[in-house]
Amino acid sequence: MYANLDKMKLAYTDQGKGMPVVFLHAFPLNRTMWGPQIAACSAQYRAIAVDLRGHGESDAPPGQYSLTDLAADVNALLDQLAIPQAVLVGLSMGGYVLFAFYRQYRRRVKALVLADTRAAADSEEVRASRMQMIQAANTEGAGPIAEIMLTRLLSPAGQQNPELVQAVRSQILTIPVRTITRDLVAMAERPDSSSMLKEIVCPTLVIVGEFDQGTPPSEARRMAEAIPGARLEIIPAAGHLSNLEQPEAFNRALLSFLQGIS
Ligand code: MLT
C-alpha cells in the first residue's frame, strides 16, 4: 500500500486488526525484514511495516534528510491512517528514528520496542567509518556495503546460513546508493538520546541478540536500566538482526510484551 505524503509516496504493509503496531527497519534494509513479525502479530494486532523514505518502494524528495525527518514521515503516515496512538517497534536505525519520534510526538507512543539499537550518538571512530562507507558506496555502489553489513548484521552462525545471507544481501542491493549515503550522514549527525531515557514513561521492551556486536547486550542492559520499568530480553544465538536470525524467540518476546499492553 502507498500513502501520498506531502513530498513523497511512502510504501507500507498494513495487515490485521486491533491495536496498531508499527515496525521501522534497520539500515540499509526495507520493510520486508519484518516478514516473520508481521505474520506473527497480524493475527491479533494491526501490524504496519513502513519503508522509510528512499528505501524499498518508498520515494524520497531530493536532498539530505535527518532522522527527525524520517520520524515526521511516520507521524504523517499515522495521521493519514487516522491512528492516534501506536506501539512502535524499531531495530537499530529504526530505533534511532524512534528516539527522534519520541522526542517530537511522545503522546502518540503507546509503547516502545527498542531492538538492537542504542541511545548514544556515534563516537568519532564510528563517524569516520561511516565516511569511509560513503566513499565506498559512491565509488563502487551498494555491493561492498552489502558485504560489510552482512558481517555486522548477522552472527557468525547466521553468516553460514545461505538463505538468510541471500535474503539480507538482496534487500541491501535494492537500496539506491543515494539512500545509503544519506542514511549514513543522518545517523552520523543524530543527537545523543541518552538523557531522554529517564523521561520515557510508556511501557518499553528492549530486545537484543546475544551476539550483537554493534549494539551488544551490555549496551541494551544499560539502556533498559535507564528507562523506568523497561523490560530486557536477550535473544539467544542471534546477532544484530535478532528478529530474522531467531524469529520465533523474537516473536515470543514481542507478543508477550504486547499482551501486557491494554
Ligand atoms: C542498522 O542496523 O540499522 C545499523 O547497523 C545502524 C548503524 O549503523 O548504526
Side-chain angles (χ1 to χ4, degrees), residues 93-115:
M93 182 179 78
Y96 306 159
V97 176
L98 288 190
F99 287 120
F101 192 94
Y102 196 83
R103 196 171 286 115
Q104 303 288 331
Y105 316 108
R106 63 183 63 182
R107 278 201 224 101
R108 213 154 200 173
V109 183
K110 193 168 181 66
L112 276 178
V113 179
L114 299 165

Side-chain angles (χ1 to χ4, degrees), residues 91 114-117 153 155 206-220 232-246 249-250:
L91 191 141
L114 299 165
D116 301 278
T117 194
L153 295 172
S155 69
V206 177
I207 303 187
V208 67
E210 178 186 9
F211 301 128
D212 185 340
Q213 292 168 35
T215 50
S218 54
E219 180 87 29
L232 173 68
E233 292 278 358
I234 299 179
I235 308 294
H240 189 60
L241 284 184
S242 56
N243 73 307
L244 279 179
E245 274 202 71
Q246 298 297 339
F250 189 101

Side-chain angles (χ1 to χ4, degrees), residues 65-133:
Y65 44 78
S66 65
L67 297 179
T68 305
D69 293 325
L70 300 185
D73 296 344
V74 175
N75 189 55
L77 175 66
L78 293 180
D79 282 346
Q80 280 218 359
L81 298 178
I83 294 176
Q85 249 203 345
V87 178
L88 289 148
V89 183
L91 191 141
S92 199
M93 182 179 78
Y96 306 159
V97 176
L98 288 190
F99 287 120
F101 192 94
Y102 196 83
R103 196 171 286 115
Q104 303 288 331
Y105 316 108
R106 63 183 63 182
R107 278 201 224 101
R108 213 154 200 173
V109 183
K110 193 168 181 66
L112 276 178
V113 179
L114 299 165
D116 301 278
T117 194
R118 68 170 73 232
D122 280 356
S123 63
E124 279 314 314
E125 195 188 343
V126 170
R127 268 195 205 117
S129 99
R130 295 203 196 280
M131 297 310 132
Q132 282 170 4
M133 279 174 80

Side-chain angles (χ1 to χ4, degrees), residues 37 107 109 116 118 145 152 174 182 199 219 225 240 249:
Q37 285 67 48
R107 278 201 224 101
V109 183
D116 301 278
R118 68 170 73 232
I145 304 301
R152 296 187 186 171
T174 65
R182 287 170 187 167
E199 295 166 21
E219 180 87 29
E225 282 170 359
H240 189 60

